[in-house]
Structures are given as structure tokens and as C-alpha cells.
Amino acid sequence: SLKSKDGMPGMKHDMGGAAGMLGGFFSAVKLKVSTRVHLVLCLAENAIGPTAFRNDDILTMYSGKTVEVNNCDAEGRLVLGDGV
């Protein structure tokens, strides 16, 4: 599903949570905190092309579980679920 021109404004805010987590992780590394820190960023590129997934595609997640795509506008939810 491609967003219309009216649906695009504000989409940059979608990445605010990941950007904040990356900033916090970067700060922890620069401060050389004594605790071991890991960061998993669940990122998606909403692009069109011949390799983009479509409705009814079956994807294999990082865990090995498979999911069926029922909504092509759900890429963020798919990678978030995969990361969790």
C-alpha cells in the first residue's frame, strides 16, 4: 500500500523511538558504561520494487516462525514483532 501525499506528512516521526534508543546506546558506549549493553533496532524500509513483499506472501522470521502477510502496510509491525 502506497501512502498518498496526505498520508506522508509526519512519517519521519515513525522513527523517533528507534532514533532515541540509538542515541542512548551511543551515549552508553561513549561513556564506557561497565554493564554490557545490547541494542536491537527493528527497522523497515517502505519501498516499492520487484523484491517488495505482497499480500499473501509467507515470510520466515528470525526465530524461524513463518507469518503470512495480510497487510502490505504492516512492515513496521512485522519487523517489531521479529525483533521482540
Side-chain angles (χ1 to χ4, degrees):
S1 303
L2 295 177
K3 291 190 176 20
S4 67
K5 66 177 182 170
D6 296 326
M8 288 304 292
M11 290 305 295
K12 289 184 181 179
H13 300 292
D14 266 9
M15 53 77 73
M21 294 304 296
L22 180 59
F25 181 79
F26 182 75
S27 296
V29 170
K30 292 298 266 182
L31 292 170
K32 298 181 180 176
V33 297
S34 59
T35 305
R36 192 169 183 179
V37 181
H38 297 270
L39 176 66
V40 176
L41 294 175
C42 304
L43 307 173
E45 174 68 41
N46 193 1
I48 57 174
T51 60
F53 58 79
R54 296 171 177 83
N55 286 335
D56 300 325
D57 282 355
I58 305 293
L59 306 177
T60 303
M61 306 305 270
Y62 186 72
S63 68
K65 292 185 179 187
T66 56
V67 296
E68 180 179 359
V69 175
N70 291 324
N71 182 340
C72 285
D73 197 31
E75 70 283 343
R77 286 166 273 180
L78 285 167
V79 297
L80 179 62
D82 200 20
V84 170

